[in-house]
């Protein structure tokens, strides 16, 4: 993967440090005074020539100035954190095991990709009839289909080279049906609708977004940022392709434009915003398959190489707190606290930091003493689950150091082995909008345990930033401090030259900044992916219905009788324009509700809860939710702002149920 992106020249020129190494000091002033340690300066080689330029002395960085422009001194936090990590790893070296990862060949990577995308039946010994994947493939966009086709061709060539006599379908056969259906569509409606939907967002995005290579990496917080809607109705890769085809001049003009980072927001969707956790397992599985294909298509369109790291089996501890896989930790914790989704030690460290007050200056930046941290680790391992550990003895900065240590010593990185490189590659995408879109897809692809823990971390970091006036930790400072802990993975041996490390520093800090600032948006499932899932479900229902009719015909049943029975009871019992809402766990079991233009999901809930008595009357908002179940979706929890009539028109065969969310 090419880390020296188009931004490298600008980054290295603007912040090219040199001179003698300076050791980072261990002492920190008490009473909130500035830490005395300074960044270790290194030497970098540029254009194959060894050029050394001395950095002029600059006044101490005034952390009370809340601005996020990236200059030489503001990088100090990153390098100090890196030095602290290095010292910490030296102290705990004996506990770590060096893992050598065998680089898989391209064919193996693409095979793994097809498995992750839910298309493993297209190749290998288990290859079956390509028709099994036709329903799935028929819902793909042109860029998604191109991404799949490219990987199928690579696997085909690799297997043939290895003389494996697997039955490999011809990609022309796989996509023939999809192409024919699009060619027969009147007036090229697919392409036209994509462009029409995109046009209402594109002008604003072009004006607001600027190229990474020519921008201030993190913009000033004080500058009012333009608000820009993120288009979730059209495939991100399609948007990128349309922009590439029709807006080359605009993109070229945006080079050198020093526009501020847009304030991205979610547009209002009358059928409701779908967030991670709102869908049933089977639909979420389809979402993940589509998100992987979409992410790959987006990277393909933008010319970025995306190589998924193959997960490797490494020897890990099967108990304890540190250097233990997240899944193992959660299994331990769920025996203590049923249904917990975030490691208990992680939760306790965050609460301990917050108990000390989030207004403490230098929070997360000032480390605890290395020897004390090591002793606390050993004591926690022995006493945490017994409940005998004395938390009063843990200083606030020690708790912050333990939290960062926990994150970076996970055997598999929090951002996952498979997608860590893809997260790192986000910095190479041309615009902030595209970087954000890629991060959205990557968050969807994370394993549940990783995603839940990352969400808890980002929410905590935002609370720290909310107190920046007193703790002097702006979003830039926090991003600089946390980036090395999330993006450097000792287990995968991601060592690099200092030159590449410097580019990585700026890029990963920017990515960390986006993760923190747009965390609410990143946990949203794009509408175009939800619509693709709806389409898949509809096609599968048709297929099942045809199979059932065929079976019934063979069994000599009366087809008319079956078709009458097939009509849902809702259609028979409920008049047009009225929905029946079920609430099996409440005393008011069901209610017929007239649909109006303004009726929202929150109104439906309010009507039910206002009529409850006894224990159910104590139910509060946020304890029960309205669900859309069946029809073209498995199960979907509705947000309060969903307009029921619009959703009913999208899914007229759904049932409407009020219930609590599962743990």
């Amino acid at each position: 993967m090419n880390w020296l992106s188009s931004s490298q020249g600008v980054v290295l020129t603007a912040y090219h440090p040199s001179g003698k190494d300076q050791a980072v000091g261990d002492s920190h002033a008490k009473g909130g005074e500035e830490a005395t340690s300074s960044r270790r300066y290194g030497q970098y080689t540029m254009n194959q020539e060894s050029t050394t330029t001395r950095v002029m002395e600059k006044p101490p960085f005034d952390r009370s100035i809340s601005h996020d422009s990236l200059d030489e001194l503001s990088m100090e936090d990153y390098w100090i954190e890196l030095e602290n990590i290095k010292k910490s790893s030296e102290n705990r070296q004996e506990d770590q095991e060096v893992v050598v990862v065998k680089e898989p060949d391209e064919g193996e990577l693409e095979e793994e990709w097809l498995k992750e995308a839910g298309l493993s039946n297209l190749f290998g010994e288990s290859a079956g009839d390509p028709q099994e994947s036709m329903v799935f493939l028929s819902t793909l966009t042109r860029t998604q289909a191109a991404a799949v086709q490219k990987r199928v061709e690579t696997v085909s060539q690799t297997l043939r080279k290895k003389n494996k006599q697997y039955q490999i379908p011809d990609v022309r056969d796989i996509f023939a049906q999809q192409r024919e259906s699009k060619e027969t569509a009147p007036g090229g409606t697919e392409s036209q609708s994509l462009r029409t939907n995109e046009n209402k967002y594109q002008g604003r995005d072009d004006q607001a977004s600027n190229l990474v290579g020519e921008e201030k990496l993190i913009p000033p917080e004080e500058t009012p940022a333009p608000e820009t809607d993120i288009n979730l109705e059209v495939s991100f890769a399609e948007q990128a392709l349309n922009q590439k085809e029709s807006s080359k001049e605009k993109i070229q003009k945006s080079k050198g434009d020093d526009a501020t980072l847009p304030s991205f927001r979610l547009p209002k969707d009358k059928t409701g915003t779908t967030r991670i956790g709102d869908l049933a397992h089977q639909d979420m599985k389809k979402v993940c398959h589509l998100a992987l294909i979409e992410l790959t298509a987006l990277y393909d369109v933008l010319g970025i190489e995306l190589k998924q790291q193959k997960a490797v089996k490494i020897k890990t501890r099967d108990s304890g707190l540190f250097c233990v896989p997240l899944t193992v930790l959660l299994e331990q914790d769920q025996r203590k606290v049923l249904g917990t989704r975030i490691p208990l030690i992680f939760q306790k460290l965050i609460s301990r930091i917050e108990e000390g007050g989030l207004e403490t200056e230098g929070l997360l930046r000032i480390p605890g003493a290395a020897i004390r941290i090591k002793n606390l680790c050993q004591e926690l391992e022995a006493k945490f689950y017994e409940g005998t550990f004395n938390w009063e003895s843990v200083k606030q900065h020690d708790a912050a150091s333990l939290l960062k240590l926990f994150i970076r010593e996970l055997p598999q990185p929090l951002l996952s082995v498979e997608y860590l490189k893809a997260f790192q590659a986000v910095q190479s995408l041309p615009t902030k909008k595209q970087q954000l879109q890629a991060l959205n897809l990557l968050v969807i692809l994370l394993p549940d345990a990783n995603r839940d823990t990352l969400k808890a971390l980002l929410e905590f970091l935002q609370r720290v930033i909310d107190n920046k006036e007193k703790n002097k930790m702006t979003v830039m400072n926090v991003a600089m401090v946390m980036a090395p802990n999330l993006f450097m993975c000792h287990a995968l041996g991601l060592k690099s030259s200092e030159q590449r490390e410097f580019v990585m520093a700026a890029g990963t800090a920017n990515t960390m900044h986006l993760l923190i600032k747009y965390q609410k948006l990143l946990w949203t499932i794009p509408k175009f992916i939800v619509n693709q899932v709806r389409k898949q479900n509809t096609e599968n229902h048709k297929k099942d219905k045809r199979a059932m009719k065929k079976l019934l015909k063979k069994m000599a049943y009366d087809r008319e009788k079956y078709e009458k029975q097939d009509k849902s009871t809702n259609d028979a019992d409920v008049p047009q324009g009225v929905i029946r809402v079920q609430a099996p766990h409440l005393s008011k079991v069901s209610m017929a509700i007239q649909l109006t233009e303004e009726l929202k999901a929150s109104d439906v809930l309010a009507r039910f809860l206002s009529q409850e008595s006894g224990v159910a009357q104590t139910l509060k908002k946020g304890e029960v939710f309205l669900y859309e179940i069946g029809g073209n979706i498995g199960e979907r929890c509705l947000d309060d702002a969903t307009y029921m009539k619009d959703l009913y028109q999208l899914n007229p065969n759904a049932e409407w149920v009020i219930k609590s969310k599962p743990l």
Side-chain angles (χ1 to χ4, degrees):
M1 191 172 293
N2 182 17
W3 293 107
L4 303 181
S5 63
S6 61
S7 63
Q8 119 185 25
V10 174
V11 174
L12 292 177
T13 302
Y15 316 119
H16 174 241
S18 60
K20 295 181 180 178
D21 284 6
Q22 298 180 4
V24 174
D26 293 329
S27 60
H28 294 278
K30 294 182 180 179
E33 290 179 5
E34 188 59 59
T36 58
S37 55
S38 60
R39 166 165 120 56
R40 172 179 57 86
Y41 292 117
Q43 292 187 357
Y44 299 87
T45 303
M46 298 177 64
N47 301 326
Q48 308 296 324
E49 296 176 11
S50 180
T51 46
T52 307
T53 308
R54 294 211 168 268
V55 177
M56 295 177 65
E57 290 293 326
K58 295 183 182 179
F61 178 51
D62 183 1
R63 297 188 186 277
S64 64
I65 300 174
S66 178
H67 70 82
D68 284 351
S69 58
L70 188 63
D71 57 24
E72 173 60 38
L73 285 170
S74 68
M75 287 291 289
E76 178 188 31
D77 287 340
Y78 185 96
W79 302 115
I80 290 176
E81 184 65 20
L82 213 55
E83 193 69 24
N84 290 332
I85 291 172
K86 187 178 176 184
K87 288 183 180 180
S88 172
S89 62
E90 285 170 359
N91 284 325
R92 292 173 60 80
Q93 221 169 10
E94 67 278 4
D95 299 331
Q96 296 180 2
E97 178 182 337
V98 177
V99 179
V100 178
V101 181
K102 177 185 173 289
E103 195 71 33
D105 64 37
E106 193 174 16
E108 290 174 329
L109 283 172
E110 306 301 30
E111 276 190 46
E112 194 68 29
W113 186 92
L114 286 165
K115 286 177 185 176
E116 290 292 318
L119 293 168
S120 56
N121 66 323
L122 291 180
F123 68 95
E125 292 171 327
S126 60
D129 184 354
Q131 292 295 326
E132 291 179 20
S133 295
M134 275 300 180
V135 168
F136 180 79
L137 295 171
S138 69
T139 66
L140 301 184
T141 65
R142 55 178 173 163
T143 48
Q144 291 173 347
V148 172
Q149 187 167 342
K150 182 179 176 183
R151 272 77 201 168
V152 171
E153 286 172 345
T154 302
V155 171
S156 296
Q157 291 167 6
T158 304
L159 293 178
R160 287 191 183 105
K161 283 177 186 175
K162 292 180 178 178
N163 296 319
K164 290 190 177 181
Q165 302 303 312
Y166 295 154
Q167 181 167 355
I168 306 158
D170 192 304
V171 291
R172 290 170 295 184
D173 296 334
I174 294 173
F175 291 99
Q177 181 177 320
Q178 187 182 352
R179 278 198 296 269
E180 284 169 16
S181 65
K182 288 178 183 176
E183 284 168 8
T184 54
T189 53
E190 183 204 31
S191 179
Q192 280 184 348
S193 64
L194 286 172
R195 289 172 185 270
T196 303
N197 284 332
E198 174 57 10
N199 283 342
K200 63 183 179 182
Y201 299 93
Q202 187 172 304
R204 281 172 288 172
D205 288 340
D206 287 342
Q207 291 169 11
S209 300
N210 56 322
L211 296 185
V212 174
E214 303 291 339
E215 66 182 355
K216 295 288 184 182
L217 292 185
I218 304 178
E221 280 189 349
E222 314 313 341
T223 308
E227 289 196 327
T228 305
D229 284 348
I230 286 287
N231 182 357
L232 299 180
E233 296 185 17
V234 178
S235 154
F236 298 154
E238 291 291 331
Q239 291 181 42
L241 186 60
N242 288 337
Q243 188 173 348
K244 202 172 180 181
E245 290 173 348
S246 64
S247 305
K248 288 179 182 177
E249 289 183 9
K250 288 182 181 178
I251 293 175
Q252 287 167 359
K253 284 177 185 176
S254 69
K255 289 184 179 182
D257 180 15
D258 202 21
T260 58
L261 181 66
S263 179
F264 292 112
R265 66 185 177 191
L266 288 175
K268 290 182 180 178
D269 180 2
K270 285 201 160 188
T271 60
T273 300
T274 307
R275 292 183 174 83
I276 294 171
D278 286 349
L279 296 178
H281 175 72
Q282 283 304 314
D283 280 346
M284 193 60 199
K285 196 173 177 183
K286 293 171 187 170
V287 166
C288 289
H289 292 157
L290 289 163
L292 176 58
I293 295 171
E294 176 65 17
L295 178 71
T296 309
L298 178 63
Y299 277 51
D300 282 355
V301 168
L302 297 173
I304 306 295
E305 186 180 16
L306 174 63
K307 284 196 174 179
Q308 187 179 346
Q309 177 68 51
K310 194 173 182 181
V312 290
K313 291 182 180 179
I314 59 175
K315 189 176 179 181
T316 59
R317 299 172 61 197
D318 55 8
S319 64
L321 299 175
F322 297 89
C323 306
V324 179
L326 276 177
T327 50
V328 173
L329 264 176
L330 287 172
E331 284 172 12
Q332 290 176 173
D333 293 348
Q334 284 164 1
R335 290 194 285 268
K336 298 278 184 183
V337 180
L338 188 66
T340 187
R341 298 168 64 91
I342 300 158
L344 295 178
I345 182 64
F346 190 84
Q347 294 182 51
K348 185 60 185 174
L349 288 169
I350 286 177
S351 65
R352 183 60 190 160
I353 296 167
E354 293 186 328
E355 283 168 14
L358 295 178
E359 298 177 352
T360 305
E361 188 168 337
L363 191 60
L364 294 175
R365 177 166 46 82
I366 298 175
I371 298 300
R372 191 164 64 243
I373 297 303
K374 184 176 181 181
N375 292 336
L376 284 170
C377 281
Q378 292 171 349
E379 198 176 342
L380 276 165
E381 294 279 10
K383 298 179 179 179
F384 179 72
Y385 285 114
E386 293 177 3
T388 58
F389 181 78
N390 179 19
W391 282 100
E392 297 299 320
S393 65
V394 182
K395 298 177 181 178
Q396 192 182 34
H397 292 305
D398 291 346
S401 292
L402 286 166
L403 181 72
K404 291 186 289 186
L405 181 71
F406 172 86
I407 294 166
R408 67 175 179 270
E409 290 208 347
L410 287 168
Q412 308 283 12
L414 187 59
L415 300 179
S416 81
V417 176
E418 294 89 342
Y419 301 111
L420 181 62
K421 286 186 177 180
F423 271 100
Q424 292 170 333
V426 165
Q427 63 180 302
S428 301
L429 302 183
T431 69
K432 288 295 179 191
K433 183 187 77 171
Q434 288 160 349
Q435 292 174 14
L436 199 57
Q437 290 169 338
L439 285 174
N440 183 198
L441 297 168
L442 283 165
V443 165
I444 291 170
L445 288 168
L446 286 175
D448 290 347
N450 298 59
R451 194 195 304 123
D452 292 337
T453 305
L454 177 63
K455 189 172 191 289
L457 174 65
L458 295 177
E459 287 171 349
F460 163 68
L461 296 179
Q462 186 57 58
R463 292 194 294 273
V464 172
I465 293 161
D466 289 342
N467 289 272
K468 65 186 175 186
E469 296 302 324
K470 293 191 176 178
N471 62 30
K472 312 303 181 193
M473 294 299 289
T474 65
V475 66
M476 181 199 70
N477 298 131
V478 172
M480 289 289 175
V481 168
M482 295 306 299
N485 292 283
L486 265 77
F487 288 93
M488 303 295 177
C489 180
H490 65 83
L492 296 180
L494 297 178
K495 293 181 179 178
S496 59
S497 66
E498 288 203 79
Q499 187 181 46
R500 175 179 160 184
E501 189 178 90
F502 196 83
V503 176
M504 280 276 290
T508 56
N510 263 314
T511 302
M512 192 75 223
H513 170 244
L514 289 174
L515 283 169
I516 297 168
K517 182 167 183 179
Y518 298 110
Q519 54 187 279
K520 289 182 180 177
L521 191 151
L522 296 177
W523 261 257
T524 302
I525 302 174
K527 186 177 181 179
F528 72 87
I529 289 182
V530 177
N531 285 344
Q532 286 180 292
V533 171
R534 289 185 187 276
K535 188 176 177 184
Q536 285 180 34
N537 290 337
T538 300
E539 294 301 317
N540 282 326
H541 289 331
K542 286 180 183 176
K543 187 178 173 185
D544 293 342
K545 196 172 180 180
R546 285 194 296 268
M548 180 60 76
K549 282 185 177 181
K550 192 174 180 181
L551 178 64
L552 290 170
K553 191 175 180 181
K554 283 182 180 178
M555 294 171 67
Y557 276 100
D558 182 11
R559 181 180 291 186
E560 284 185 10
K561 182 181 177 182
Y562 164 70
E563 287 178 347
K564 284 177 184 176
Q565 290 173 346
D566 186 51
K567 291 183 179 178
S568 69
T569 54
N570 279 355
D571 292 341
D573 298 342
V574 182
Q576 189 70 23
V578 176
I579 59 171
R580 181 163 293 282
V581 181
Q582 309 289 330
H585 303 299
L586 301 181
S587 57
K588 181 79 175 175
V589 176
S590 71
M591 182 187 291
I593 295 180
Q594 178 71 49
L595 292 173
T596 65
E597 295 293 337
E598 298 303 317
L599 182 74
K600 296 181 183 178
S602 58
D603 301 325
V604 175
L605 278 170
R607 288 190 199 181
F608 262 85
L609 295 179
S610 66
Q611 297 186 28
E612 286 303 310
S613 58
V615 177
Q617 198 173 29
T618 63
L619 287 171
K620 298 175 184 175
K621 182 181 175 183
E623 292 182 1
V624 289
F625 302 87
L626 180 59
Y627 278 78
E628 165 196 8
I629 298 176
N632 55 34
I633 203 77
E635 183 174 295
R636 174 174 172 251
C637 181
L638 305 183
D639 75 66
D640 286 347
T642 303
Y643 285 83
M644 296 305 298
K645 188 172 183 180
D646 292 85
L647 182 57
Y648 174 77
Q649 290 169 350
L650 179 65
N651 191 6
N653 295 318
E655 294 181 1
W656 313 96
V657 179
I658 292 175
K659 61 176 186 172
S660 58
K661 263 191 177 182
L663 290 173

